[in-house]
């Protein structure tokens, strides 16, 4: 039986074992300016206003401690006495990027920040691994779901693993079969510190509804992966995309469940698509208020590995050799005629549905699903996702917003994804103009995290050391 492919399934132990980090030189090195909670800095450059999508030509960001004190036109912000000035000339100041869907491991978590990705949402990991991620040197800001909730036939585990079958810290997934079990699982994960709850493809409608209700009562949002044509979205999943939105799911991952919803409307997702049914499906999803994290690059790379270029990705020359064997494994898994046809069906549906969702006002967030697809790198994969979103019909500005302002809103964090007073001082400085050419996000010149400028060379050296230690 061929492996099921996408987040959390049958990955080789080399890249996905929950292992302790090797000895490292410490946290990512940062420059001496600014230091201390009251220290300040002034950044000059062209400023991308993520909320409006406009560029301020003579822009400034004033940083005080870990927060932005002022941002906008250079003459509108007072410069604190003695503040260090960083003049980036015609380079563009962007909010630190947000990757809304990753499956991180400690030995490559350090690659995100020097790539300009300062916040990630981790979607399905054991609580033990999550603790290791938070403690890892050079880690970005991490929001987590903990282990996914799934039915007893989950591809995430060889045998059912309900609460109590082992320690909560080692469970993945948490098997639930009834509404009561789903509610109890949500309560346990929230109690353990989960920022989100993730629901997976084999849940029953009753269990999903109970999980969403329990999460809502706890004030925690819910994300859902309901399966694709390539996985088990048409052969075991019980809940489709529209039903998930109606139940109260906050974000739909991978456009999962869309193929099942389309099929239930009378269409065949494996054949030529019906524009009228697609319009109806987009409208039904929009009516639920649910956001979508399409992980478009993942779909592209499974359909045609290498179709999204690796050229120019931050750190590509340093870390690519450590992933090439894993990519060959993934490519072999979808090399058969049946798998190619299924991945092509997913790509067709994504291509047809994404512009309709955008036109219908559905929030589109950027997520890479790293490292579930071949030819994608940690940190750099989000830049590939931005490229894929533009190729799917988003403008470069809309793609940037998907990884900044819109992503922050999806997370419920007004202090992320914006260069505005009061926001956290996460700043990406790139050469060129990504509002005209989205590939320019790859031209990383500087990264600031929590008000401190990251020493990029030291950060990449640390990533290399961690990957080499695992390889040994």
């Amino acid at each position: 039986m061929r492996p099921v492919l996408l987040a959390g399934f049958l990955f080789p132990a080399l890249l996905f074992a929950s292992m302790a980090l090797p000895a490292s030189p410490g946290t990512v090195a940062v420059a001496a300016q600014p230091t201390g909670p009251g220290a300040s800095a002034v950044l000059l450059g062209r400023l991308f206003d993520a909320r409006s999508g406009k560029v301020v030509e003579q822009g400034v960001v004033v940083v005080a401690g870990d927060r932005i004190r002022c941002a906008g036109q250079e003459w509108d912000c007072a410069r604190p006495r003695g503040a260090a000035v960083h003049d980036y000339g015609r380079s563009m100041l962007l909010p630190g990027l947000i990757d809304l869907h990753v499956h991180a491991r400690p030995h490559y978590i350090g690659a995100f920040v020097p790539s300009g990705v300062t916040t990630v949402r981790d979607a399905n990991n054991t609580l033990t691994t999550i603790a290791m991620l938070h403690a890892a040197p050079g880690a970005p800001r991490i929001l987590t779901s903990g282990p996914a909730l799934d039915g007893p036939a989950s591809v995430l585990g060889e045998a059912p693993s309900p609460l109590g079958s082992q320690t909560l810290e080692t469970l993945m997934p948490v098997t639930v079969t009834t509404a009561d079990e789903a509610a109890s699982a949500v309560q346990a994960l929230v109690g353990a510190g989960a920022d989100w709850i993730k629901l997976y493809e084999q849940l029953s409608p009753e269990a999903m509804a109970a999980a969403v209700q329990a999460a809502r009562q706890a004030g925690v949002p819910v994300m859902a992966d309901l399966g694709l044509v390539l996985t088990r979205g048409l052969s075991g999943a019980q809940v489709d995309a529209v039903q998930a939105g109606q139940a109260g799911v906050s974000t739909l991952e991978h456009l999962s469940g869309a193929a099942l919803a389309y099929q239930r409307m009378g269409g065949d997702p494996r054949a030529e698509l019906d524009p009228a049914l697609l319009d109806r499906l987009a409208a039904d999803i929009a009516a639920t208020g649910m956001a979508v994290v399409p992980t478009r690059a993942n779909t592209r790379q499974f359909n045609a590995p290498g179709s999204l270029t690796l050229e120019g990705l931050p750190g590509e020359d340093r870390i690519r050799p450590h992933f090439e064997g894993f990519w060959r494994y993934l490519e072999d898994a979808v090399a058969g005629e049946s798998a190619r046809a299924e991945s092509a069906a997913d790509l067709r549906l994504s291509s047809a549905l994404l512009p309709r969702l955008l036109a219908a006002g559905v929030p589109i967030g950027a997520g890479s699903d790293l490292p579930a697809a071949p030819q994608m790198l940690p940190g750099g994969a989000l830049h590939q996702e931005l490229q894929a979103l533009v190729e799917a019909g988003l403008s470069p500005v809309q793609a940037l917003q998907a990884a900044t302002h819109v992503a922050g809103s999806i997370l419920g964090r007004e202090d992320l994804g914006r260069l505005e007073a009061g926001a956290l001082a996460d700043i990406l400085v790139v050469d060129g103009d990504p509002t005209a050419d989205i590939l320019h996000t790859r031209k990383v010149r500087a990264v600031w995290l929590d008000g401190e400028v990251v020493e990029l060379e030291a950060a990449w050296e640390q990533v290399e050391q961690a990957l080499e230690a695992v390889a040994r």
Side-chain angles (χ1 to χ4, degrees):
M1 182 178 72
R2 67 180 175 83
V4 178
L5 301 167
L6 285 182
F9 16 71
L10 306 176
F11 291 121
L14 173 63
L15 289 177
F16 282 81
S18 295
M19 61 186 73
L21 275 174
S24 68
T27 58
V28 166
V30 296
Q33 295 285 350
T35 57
S40 57
V42 175
L43 285 66
L44 303 176
R46 303 175 70 229
L47 185 149
F48 177 66
D49 182 344
R51 195 181 296 271
S52 70
K54 297 179 180 179
V55 175
V56 178
E57 289 297 330
Q58 293 178 275
V60 64
V61 178
V62 178
V63 174
D66 66 349
R67 297 277 170 172
I68 295 174
R69 177 181 294 177
C70 183
Q73 296 281 357
E74 187 175 347
W75 48 83
D76 288 336
C77 295
R79 299 190 188 183
R81 186 186 300 271
V85 177
H86 301 258
D87 189 348
Y88 292 111
R90 297 292 295 169
S91 296
M92 187 167 289
L93 312 178
L94 301 163
L97 302 180
I98 300 170
D99 192 332
L100 290 171
H101 196 117
V102 304
H103 302 279
R105 290 297 182 269
H107 54 289
Y108 60 73
I109 190 65
F112 287 89
V113 170
S115 298
V117 181
T118 53
T119 299
V120 301
R121 182 179 61 162
D122 188 82
N124 189 38
N125 252 322
T126 66
L127 297 180
T128 295
T129 300
I130 288 170
M132 294 166 64
L133 291 172
H134 282 299
R141 184 174 298 100
I142 308 171
L143 305 176
T144 64
S145 70
L149 275 59
D150 203 4
S154 178
V155 298
L156 301 178
E158 295 181 359
S161 49
L163 286 178
S165 61
Q166 53 188 288
T167 63
L168 182 62
E169 290 73 20
T170 58
L171 280 177
M172 190 178 78
V174 181
T175 303
V176 297
T177 57
T178 68
D180 287 344
E181 288 175 351
S184 296
V186 169
Q187 291 162 5
L189 292 175
V190 172
D195 303 296
W196 283 72
I197 296 297
K198 182 175 182 182
L199 307 180
Y200 209 53
E201 59 188 19
Q202 300 294 299
L203 283 182
S204 69
E206 296 77 19
M208 179 168 290
V212 172
Q213 178 62 25
R216 181 183 292 116
Q217 291 174 349
V220 174
V222 174
M223 59 197 299
D225 177 355
L226 308 171
L228 303 174
V229 177
L230 180 62
T231 59
R232 301 197 296 177
L234 298 179
S235 59
Q238 300 181 52
V239 180
D240 64 42
V242 176
Q243 291 173 322
Q246 292 170 340
V249 166
S250 299
T251 65
L252 181 70
E253 310 302 304
H254 321 301
L255 277 176
S256 61
L260 181 58
Y262 181 83
Q263 180 175 270
R264 288 173 171 176
M265 290 176 173
D268 182 355
R270 294 186 173 93
E272 183 177 350
L273 299 173
D274 183 333
L277 289 183
L278 291 168
D279 290 342
R280 177 182 157 197
L281 177 54
D284 287 350
I285 291 174
T288 70
M290 180 173 57
V292 170
V293 180
T295 64
R296 168 76 180 185
N298 179 290
T299 307
R300 280 285 311 277
Q301 295 292 74
F302 264 127
N303 180 253
S307 57
L308 295 171
T309 177
L310 290 161
E311 184 179 356
L313 288 179
E316 180 263 340
D317 57 332
R318 296 171 177 261
I319 63 177
R320 177 176 180 170
H322 295 277
F323 288 84
E324 288 178 334
F326 176 57
W327 292 341
R328 286 192 293 272
Y329 162 82
L330 291 177
E331 290 170 17
D332 289 346
V334 291
E337 182 177 344
S338 175
R340 285 197 300 268
E342 290 169 348
S343 67
D346 286 324
L347 184 60
R348 282 196 306 272
L349 184 58
S350 169
S351 298
L353 198 53
L354 258 179
R356 288 173 164 85
L357 293 171
L358 191 68
V362 175
I364 304 296
S368 68
D369 199 20
L370 183 100
Q375 303 289 327
M376 298 180 77
L377 289 170
L382 187 65
H383 298 274
Q384 293 172 291
E385 175 67 6
L386 297 181
Q387 177 189 358
L389 290 175
V390 170
E391 291 181 359
L394 277 69
S395 70
V397 166
Q398 289 171 327
L400 289 172
Q401 289 174 318
T404 55
H405 165 60
V406 175
S409 296
I410 286 172
L411 294 176
R413 295 286 300 266
E414 289 296 315
D415 59 347
L416 295 176
R418 293 121 178 149
L419 299 182
E420 299 174 354
L424 286 164
D426 293 353
I427 306 163
L428 167 62
V429 184
V430 300
D431 291 327
D433 184 359
T435 67
D437 184 345
I438 197 63
L439 295 182
H440 288 181
T441 62
R442 304 176 182 208
K443 298 182 176 184
V444 175
R445 178 173 176 180
V447 178
W448 292 67
L449 177 65
D450 286 331
E452 295 188 325
V453 62
V454 175
E455 294 287 0
L456 297 180
E457 180 65 21
W460 284 119
E461 287 180 1
Q462 192 170 77
V463 174
E464 283 188 283
Q465 291 172 14
L467 290 169
E468 289 168 359
V470 170
R472 288 195 297 270

